[in-house]
Amino acid sequence: MTAALPNGVSSDDIDAFVRRVREQGAELYRDLPWRNTRDPYAIWISEVMLQQTQVARVLTRWERFIARFPTVDALSAASSADVVEEWQGMGYNRRALALKRAADICASEFGGALPVGVDELCKLPGIGEATAAGITAFSRDVPCIYIETNVRAVFIHEFFPDAERVTDKQLRPLVEAACPAEDVRGWYYALLDVGAHLKKTQVNPTRRSASYTRQSAFEGSRRQKRAWIVREVMACPGIADEELHARLDAEELRAGRDRVPVQEYRSIMADLSCEGFFSLTEGGWKA
DNA sequence: TTCCTGTATC
DNA sequence: GATACAGGAA
C-alpha cells in the first residue's frame, strides 16, 4: 500500500507530471561519466561526492578517485591517510574517513561487494537514505524513494507552488507514486536534470524545503581551522603539537584574525583524533 | 558576500 | 529539531 496522495493530487496528475518530466529530461540530459556505469562501488563514490560538492567539481575528481581506488577492496587496502589525501580539495574530509570505514566493512563482511537494498546500505557509515536510494536506483534499477535537492526542487515546484516550508514527509508519497517500476535510473536522471535546470532558471524551489538551511560563515570558522589542520598534518606528518598550534596561530594572524586559544586548539584536535584523522604519538601528530 | 548539500550527532 | 561539516564559484 502506498500512502494517499496529498492535497487533491490524482494519479492522473502524477502520470502527466511523469510524462512531462521525462520529455524535458530527455532534452536536458547530462551525459555524466558516473551515469555510464552500473558498478555500485563507482556509483556510491559519485553519490558521496555529490552529497556535498557541485557537479562541475565532481567531474574533475571522480574518475581520478576511481582510477586510484578502483574497487571496494582497493579502497579498503588503502590507508585512511591516502584516502583523505585523495579527498583533499573536495571538502568535508570526515566523509573520506566514512568511505574508507564502509569499504572495510564491505571487504570483510560482504566479500568486497556493497550490500543490496536501501536498509542494508543505510547501516554503512556515511550512507543515509538519500545515498542508499541513489545507489539502489542507479546501480540496480530498483524502484525506491530518492529524495535529494534536485528531486525536491522539481516536486516542490510542481506540487507546492505556494508553500513556504515543504517537508520530506510531504514529498515522500509523491516521490513514491511517481517512481516507475522500470527504468528507475532513467526516471531519476530526468528528475535530476530538470531540477538542476529549474534551479538555474529561477529562484531555487529547494529554498522552500524544510530541509533547506543556510550555512554559517566559513572565514574564521572552526571548519576552516579543521580543514587547515588536516592539510598541514598531511603535509608534515609527525609535526609536534606545539609547532602545529604555533603554525595555526601564524596562519590566523596572517589572515588578520586573532590567535587560536589553546582551549579551542585542544578541542579541535580532540575532535579530529576521535574521528580518526590523527593521533598524537611520541613522534608528533600522525595520520 | 552568497550560494550550494546529506549524514551524523546531540 | 538543530548544528557541524569544506571549499570553490558566481
Side-chain angles (χ1 to χ4, degrees), chain A residues 141-221:
Chain A
D141 220 16
V142 167
C144 50
I145 303 175
Y146 180 46
I147 299 180
E148 56 74 76
T149 184
N150 291 305
V151 175
R152 288 193 188 100
V154 180
F155 279 87
I156 289 173
H157 176 74
E158 177 74 18
F159 296 104
F160 300 91
D162 303 314
E164 281 300 322
R165 279 177 68 83
V166 181
T167 64
D168 286 352
K169 192 178 171 185
Q170 289 174 280
L171 294 177
R172 179 168 287 270
L174 293 164
V175 175
E176 183 175 21
C179 184
E182 289 172 4
D183 191 26
V184 177
R185 184 185 359 248
W187 165 242
Y188 279 115
Y189 290 157
L191 271 177
L192 297 181
D193 293 343
V194 170
H197 176 72
L198 220 46
K199 286 160 37 169
K200 277 192 295 192
T201 53
Q202 57 194 280
V203 176
N204 186 353
T206 305
R207 290 190 185 190
R208 293 188 285 110
S209 162
S211 310
Y212 179 83
T213 51
R214 258 202 189 80
Q215 184 146 246
S216 55
F218 183 67
E219 279 301 308
S221 69

Side-chain angles (χ1 to χ4, degrees), chain A residues 9-24 154 158-159 177-178 187:
Chain A
V9 176
S10 71
S11 59
D12 282 352
D13 295 337
I14 296 283
D15 290 345
F17 163 73
V18 169
R19 274 195 302 276
R20 233 178 314 125
V21 170
R22 286 240 193 227
E23 269 173 39
Q24 210 187 347
V154 180
E158 177 74 18
F159 296 104
W187 165 242

Side-chain angles (χ1 to χ4, degrees), chain A residues 105 110 115 117-128 132:
Chain A
I105 294 168
F110 304 112
V118 168
D119 291 347
E120 290 305 306
L121 286 165
C122 278
K123 293 177 185 168
L124 295 171
I127 298 184

Side-chain angles (χ1 to χ4, degrees), chain A residues 30 32 34 50 53-62:
Chain A
R30 296 174 293 177
L32 304 168
W34 48 89
L50 291 161
T53 304
Q54 285 159 342
V55 168
R57 208 162 358 131
V58 174
L59 277 171
T60 70
R61 303 297 298 269
W62 178 77

